[in-house]
């Protein structure tokens, strides 16, 4: 019997130029965990969320965008196999001259003055290996974090919350995720990095948003995907109208959609960064 930590692996064979577009489409279908290799994209979905209906939705989305479904294989992956395979691929990731991400117990040679974050990712999204995480971290580096109450939606490994603390934030940080594995992993990484006053809760960005936003925040981080952003940003604007929101998980071809959404909600674009097919946008209240 599958446990809540077992996953379905979808391994797509793709030309390199289609890997990022395919990843973006799968993100829109609620898949959050990926590995990229040359001509291969591995996507992982909790076994508990997999069904024939989910499979058909994914196939329809890919066929609509690509004209046909790329060749793929499907297999069940138990949690004990995943960690070994994932950890074998991890190497230190230099986000910038100020920030280095390393896996726990791996060799590291930081530059003078470079902040080191140790991440043992398990199955959680947010290792620094994906462009969306790197973009969020580079945006965070450019923000004055001192005295800001921060909310991290879809925290994954907790890397963004940890970075905020290590880069100068001195107020309570709240991180939420709807995956029990991610919550457990984020708490472990927070402890490993010796940072304090970061609260991690298992809550859903959509279902629990009103309750989450009962607290006041000065900065909201949301590295999720277009579909979820489209649904939660109006509620964020309604409940926290004066709070800037740092967004990622958005592909560059969706930039026009994002601009229209922000204009409709009376946000202005304070900063946008790009990498590969992805962007990160800091949205600030217009008034």
């Amino acid at each position: 019997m599958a446990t809540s930590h077992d996953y379905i692996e979808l391994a797509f064979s793709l030309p390199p130029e289609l890997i990022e577009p395919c990843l973006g489409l799968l993100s829109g279908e609620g898949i959050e965990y990926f590995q990229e290799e040359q001509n291969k994209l591995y996507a992982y979905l909790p076994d508990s969320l997999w069904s024939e209906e989910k499979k058909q939705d994914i196939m329809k989305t890919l066929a609509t965008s690509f004209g046909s479904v790329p060749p793929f294989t499907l297999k069940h992956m138990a949690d004990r196999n995943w960690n070994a395979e994932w950890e074998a691929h991890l190497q230190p990731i230099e986000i910038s001259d100020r920030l280095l991400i390393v896996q726990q117990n791996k060799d590291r040679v930081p530059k003078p003055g470079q902040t080191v974050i140790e991440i043992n990712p398990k199955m959680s999204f947010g290792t620094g290996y994906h462009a969306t995480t790197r973009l969020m971290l580079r945006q965070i580096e450019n923000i004055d974090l001192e005295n800001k109450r921060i909310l991290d939606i879809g925290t994954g490994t907790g890397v963004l919350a940890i970075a905020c603390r290590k880069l100068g934030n001195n107020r309570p940080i709240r991180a939420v995720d709807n995956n029990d594995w991610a919550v457990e992993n984020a708490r472990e990484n927070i402890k490993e990095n010796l940072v304090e006053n970061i609260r991690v809760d298992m809550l859903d960005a959509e279902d629990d948003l009103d309750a989450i936003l009962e607290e006041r925040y000065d900065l909201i981080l949301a590295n999720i995907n277009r579909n979820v952003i489209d649904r939660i940003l109006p509620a964020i604007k309604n409940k926290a109208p004066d709070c800037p929101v740092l967004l990622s998980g958005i592909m560059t071809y969706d930039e026009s959609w994002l601009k229209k959404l922000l204009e409709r909600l009376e946000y202005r674009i304070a900063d946008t960064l790009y990498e590969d097919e992805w962007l990160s946008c800091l949205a600030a209240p217009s008034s």
Side-chain angles (χ1 to χ4, degrees):
M1 179 179 293
T3 71
S4 62
H5 288 169
D6 288 353
Y7 277 72
I8 296 297
E9 177 191 81
L10 300 171
F12 293 91
S13 298
L14 295 158
E17 66 271 15
L18 291 184
I19 286 179
E20 291 293 335
C22 185
L23 194 156
L25 292 168
L26 294 173
S27 295
E29 290 295 326
I31 299 178
E32 299 179 349
Y33 313 119
F34 299 93
Q35 276 185 279
E36 299 175 44
E37 295 179 5
Q38 187 175 13
N39 300 319
K40 281 282 190 180
L41 175 64
Y42 298 90
Y44 299 91
L45 184 72
D47 185 271
S48 60
L49 299 181
W50 183 251
S51 65
E52 183 61 28
E53 182 181 3
K54 187 66 177 176
K55 178 182 176 181
Q56 293 305 317
D57 287 345
I58 291 170
M59 299 304 106
K60 181 179 179 181
T61 295
L62 296 177
T64 299
S65 296
F66 296 143
S68 63
V69 178
F72 74 97
T73 60
L74 185 154
K75 72 176 182 180
H76 176 266
M77 177 174 280
D79 59 343
R80 63 181 179 274
N81 296 331
W82 170 256
N83 280 337
E85 292 192 20
W86 180 240
E87 291 171 7
H89 287 81
L90 295 181
Q91 298 296 328
I93 294 292
E94 186 169 81
I95 303 301
S96 68
D97 288 340
R98 291 182 61 199
L99 201 57
L100 177 70
I101 296 179
V102 299
Q103 187 194 0
Q104 188 178 337
N105 301 322
K106 285 285 184 76
D107 292 337
R108 64 186 191 190
V109 185
K111 295 178 179 178
Q114 197 169 44
T115 296
V116 175
I117 298 176
E118 293 189 7
I119 295 294
N120 190 31
K122 289 192 175 178
M123 193 68 194
S124 302
F125 184 82
T127 59
Y129 274 79
H130 196 263
T132 59
T133 305
R134 294 193 295 271
L135 287 168
M136 290 288 285
L137 289 167
R138 290 170 187 148
Q139 291 267 35
I140 286 169
E141 285 187 86
N142 294 326
I143 297 172
D144 180 4
L145 301 168
E146 190 175 3
N147 294 321
K148 285 183 169 57
R149 292 181 59 92
I150 295 172
L151 170 64
D152 181 13
I153 297 175
T155 193
T157 62
V159 64
L160 301 183
I162 294 167
C164 286
R165 178 66 78 234
K166 289 200 168 190
L167 292 174
N169 179 261
N170 56 356
R171 298 293 303 279
I173 296 175
R174 190 178 192 189
V176 301
D177 204 293
N178 63 359
N179 184 293
D180 61 340
W181 196 327
V183 169
E184 176 187 336
N185 187 213
R187 289 171 177 165
E188 290 174 355
N189 288 325
I190 288 165
K191 183 177 180 180
E192 182 66 29
N193 282 273
L194 304 177
V195 290
E196 298 180 347
N197 209 7
I198 300 177
R199 171 183 166 191
V200 184
D201 295 316
M202 185 170 168
L203 295 168
D204 188 271
E206 298 181 64
D207 295 342
D208 302 310
L209 189 61
D210 283 350
I212 294 169
L213 293 175
E214 287 299 324
E215 298 182 27
R216 185 184 67 81
Y217 300 101
D218 304 300
L219 176 65
I220 296 174
L221 314 176
N223 183 17
I224 36 183
N225 64 65
R226 169 187 164 155
N227 291 346
V228 177
I229 290 169
D230 194 43
R231 292 192 290 266
I232 71 170
L233 196 57
I236 290 174
K237 180 64 175 178
N238 181 55
K239 294 281 288 187
D242 299 324
C243 185
V245 185
L246 180 58
L247 303 166
S248 196
I250 303 164
M251 302 199 75
T252 53
Y253 63 68
D254 285 325
E255 186 169 13
S256 60
W257 158 82
L258 178 64
K259 287 180 177 178
K260 290 177 183 176
L261 176 65
L262 295 179
E263 183 178 1
R264 175 168 62 85
L265 296 176
E266 298 185 341
Y267 285 105
R268 62 179 177 85
I269 297 175
D271 197 9
T272 306
L273 297 182
Y274 304 87
E275 184 179 337
D276 299 330
E277 304 292 328
W278 299 92
L279 67 84
S280 173
C281 174
L282 178 59
S286 295
S287 55

